[in-house]
Amino acid sequence: MLTESSLPGVVDAHVHFRDPGPVYKEDWESGSTSAAAGGVTTVIDQPNTNPSTKDARSFDLKLDRAKNHSVIDFCINGGPGRIEEQVALGATAIGEIFTYEYTDTKLRILLNEVEKAGALPTIHAEDGQTIRENTNRLLNDHSPVAYSSARPKLAEAAAVEKVLSWISRAHICHVSTIQGMDLANVARKAGKKVSCEVCPHHLLLNCRDYKKQGTFLKINPPLRDPSDNQALWAGLRDGFIDIVASDHAPHLPEEKKMEIWEAPAGVPGVETMLPLMLMAVRSNLISLERLVEAMAERPAQIFGLKSKGQIAPGKDADLVLVDPKAVTRINADRLHSRAEWTPYEGREAIFPQATIVRGTVVFEDDLQVRPGYGRFQARLS
Ligand SMILES: [Zn+2]
């Protein structure tokens, strides 16, 4: 049952804050404010910004921007490039590594480098060859659902299987299919250190939603079938899936409106993640204990955030105050992302009453701290 309570602040292990880069979509201030309003107290930012995070210089550039503008605590992932330099500066992990951007040979070399640097690779698992073959076949089909067919379930399975046959330690980002989830667990049972993640959009949306929202729902990996939603919920409940992360990837409506092959991939989600998941607790789709584990404790463990993830002595006082009676409907006008839209418009949700980072209220009805309050959580081990 969901009662009035304080929960540990959410650690969102997968956000794309666009800063440095196309900050008209999001920057550290808007992204972290959106996170704080949704009960997220620490984010891990991904390297595909502009410039991409790939060496000491680009890492420091992002670090500088985040330090000056983030209202919540933050981590920065390193990207393919000078891996050791980024690890030395406190990169949390290396990735997400988009498997479809590499040939097998190059991907193996990259994964070896990550392993040698003692870093954790995070994997966006979709097989390039499978995507290319199916995309060529479908390019004349302009219906949004063609996008899901162009990146079939098989592409995820093939990439997960391949990567986990090569390396012994990895985090698999946003599993979207039964097959992807199962293959990660086969590797885990075989003794490999594998964790995996699911996003709210792969739990709550599927191909049927293209009908209403069309190209706005273009994401990678794409939306799947209702049966996958159900299997992912079961996997999350049973612990086959370790964590929930948002893959917050904001784009403006005029960009998302474009023709399916032209529109950019990604949906916003950092602010609506916990509110939607709290509704799922109310609807008995998942227990509150399991939710807290998957959104705070376990991501902190996987990504080495020693002072985060739990309400306990010695940990930072990162808290979310929740009133289970405060059910509202999601309305993009009241969200804080520059994306200015949400795939969950009109859905019921429970937004936090207040979000606290290191003992200070950062969000309560509105922002309560200055940009720059957030601290870098370096991974130094
Ligand atoms: Zn991804």
Side-chain angles (χ1 to χ4, degrees), residues 119-372:
L120 171 70
T122 70
I123 309 292
H124 178 126
E126 283 188 283
D127 179 62
Q129 202 186 329
T130 312
I131 294 175
R132 278 187 294 278
E133 284 169 12
N134 286 279
T135 303
N136 288 336
R137 186 170 63 81
L138 288 158
L139 272 177
N140 292 324
D141 185 343
H142 298 277
S143 61
V145 73
Y147 195 73
S148 284
S149 311
R151 306 174 81 103
K153 298 182 192 188
L154 174 68
E156 180 168 285
V160 171
E161 190 167 34
K162 201 185 285 180
V163 165
L164 294 182
S165 72
W166 293 337
I167 53 176
S168 56
R169 182 181 171 224
H171 175 74
I172 309 293
C173 302
H174 42 52
V175 292
S176 63
T177 63
I178 305 168
Q179 296 89 334
M181 177 177 72
D182 284 351
L183 284 164
N185 276 281
V186 167
R188 178 146 49 190
K189 276 192 193 130
K192 301 209 172 190
K193 279 188 109 179
V194 179
S195 52
C196 59
E197 149 192 319
V198 70
C199 301
H201 45 260
H202 289 124
L203 292 168
L204 298 168
L205 300 166
N206 58 59
C207 283
R208 291 179 186 169
D209 293 289
Y210 283 127
K211 233 184 204 167
K212 265 199 178 162
Q213 300 198 59
T215 56
F216 279 71
L217 296 185
K218 177 175 173 181
I219 42 168
N220 296 332
L223 293 181
R224 308 295 187 183
D225 300 318
S227 59
D228 292 291
N229 294 147
Q230 260 145 51
L232 294 171
W233 274 114
L236 178 61
R237 277 192 296 267
D238 298 342
F240 292 125
I241 292 172
D242 297 81
I243 68 168
V244 181
S246 71
D247 193 5
H248 178 76
H251 300 285
L252 299 191
E254 50 262 45
E255 300 173 301
K256 293 297 289 181
K257 233 180 252 169
M258 287 191 278
E259 184 276 328
I260 188 70
W261 303 104
E262 295 290 319
V267 298
V270 71
E271 188 166 348
T272 47
M273 176 167 68
L274 179 67
L276 288 164
M277 294 304 288
L278 287 171
M279 275 310 291
V281 172
R282 238 178 98 115
S283 327
N284 291 319
L285 275 165
I286 189 169
S287 72
L288 185 62
E289 293 69 33
R290 181 67 199 115
L291 187 71
V292 165
E293 202 174 71
M295 295 182 78
E297 201 173 329
R298 196 67 187 117
Q301 248 171 29
I302 292 169
F303 294 99
L305 301 169
K306 295 196 173 76
S307 62
K308 303 295 187 190
Q310 274 178 300
I311 303 177
K315 304 274 181 186
D316 292 340
D318 295 350
L319 304 169
V320 188
L321 307 188
V322 173
D323 174 3
K325 293 187 297 299
V327 178
T328 52
R329 287 197 185 272
I330 293 176
N331 173 350
D333 293 344
R334 277 187 247 134
L335 300 177
H336 299 80
S337 166
R338 292 216 169 124
E340 291 183 336
W341 71 280
T342 166
Y344 309 106
E345 187 73 37
R347 287 211 193 206
E348 287 192 317
I350 300 171
F351 284 87
Q353 300 297 300
T355 303
I356 295 164
V357 175
R358 284 175 279 105
T360 297
V361 175
V362 295
F363 198 95
E364 187 176 14
D365 301 320
D366 212 339
L367 194 58
Q368 304 293 325
V369 293
R370 288 212 181 120

Side-chain angles (χ1 to χ4, degrees), residues 5-205:
S5 47
S6 11
L7 310 176
V10 170
V11 176
D12 187 348
H14 197 144
V15 304
H16 298 269
F17 277 174
R18 315 294 189 204
D19 186 1
V23 291
Y24 68 93
K25 296 174 196 264
E26 202 78 284
D27 63 13
W28 274 99
E29 187 175 333
S30 62
S32 65
T33 302
S34 187
V40 175
T41 51
T42 307
V43 286
I44 304 179
D45 193 57
Q46 305 297 306
N48 60 340
T49 35
N50 190 9
S52 58
T53 314
K54 58 178 186 296
D55 52 21
R57 202 174 152 173
S58 50
F59 192 95
D60 272 336
L61 173 67
K62 182 179 284 186
L63 182 57
D64 196 51
R65 297 189 70 98
K67 270 185 180 162
N68 284 307
H69 300 287
S70 185
V71 303
I72 59 162
D73 286 354
F74 58 91
C75 305
I76 297 174
N77 271 4
R82 294 173 180 262
I83 291 166
E84 281 180 12
E85 281 183 17
Q86 301 172 86
V87 171
L89 289 171
T92 306
I94 300 298
E96 57 185 309
I97 294 168
F98 296 94
T99 56
Y100 53 85
E101 291 181 350
Y102 300 89
T103 61
D104 282 3
T105 316
K106 290 213 166 122
L107 186 55
R108 273 191 99 147
I109 292 170
L110 170 59
L111 292 169
N112 278 334
E113 279 172 20
V114 177
E115 194 165 41
K116 232 178 77 194
L120 171 70
T122 70
I123 309 292
H124 178 126
E126 283 188 283
D127 179 62
Q129 202 186 329
T130 312
I131 294 175
R132 278 187 294 278
E133 284 169 12
N134 286 279
T135 303
N136 288 336
R137 186 170 63 81
L138 288 158
L139 272 177
N140 292 324
D141 185 343
H142 298 277
S143 61
V145 73
Y147 195 73
S148 284
S149 311
R151 306 174 81 103
K153 298 182 192 188
L154 174 68
E156 180 168 285
V160 171
E161 190 167 34
K162 201 185 285 180
V163 165
L164 294 182
S165 72
W166 293 337
I167 53 176
S168 56
R169 182 181 171 224
H171 175 74
I172 309 293
C173 302
H174 42 52
V175 292
S176 63
T177 63
I178 305 168
Q179 296 89 334
M181 177 177 72
D182 284 351
L183 284 164
N185 276 281
V186 167
R188 178 146 49 190
K189 276 192 193 130
K192 301 209 172 190
K193 279 188 109 179
V194 179
S195 52
C196 59
E197 149 192 319
V198 70
C199 301
H201 45 260
H202 289 124
L203 292 168
L204 298 168
L205 300 166

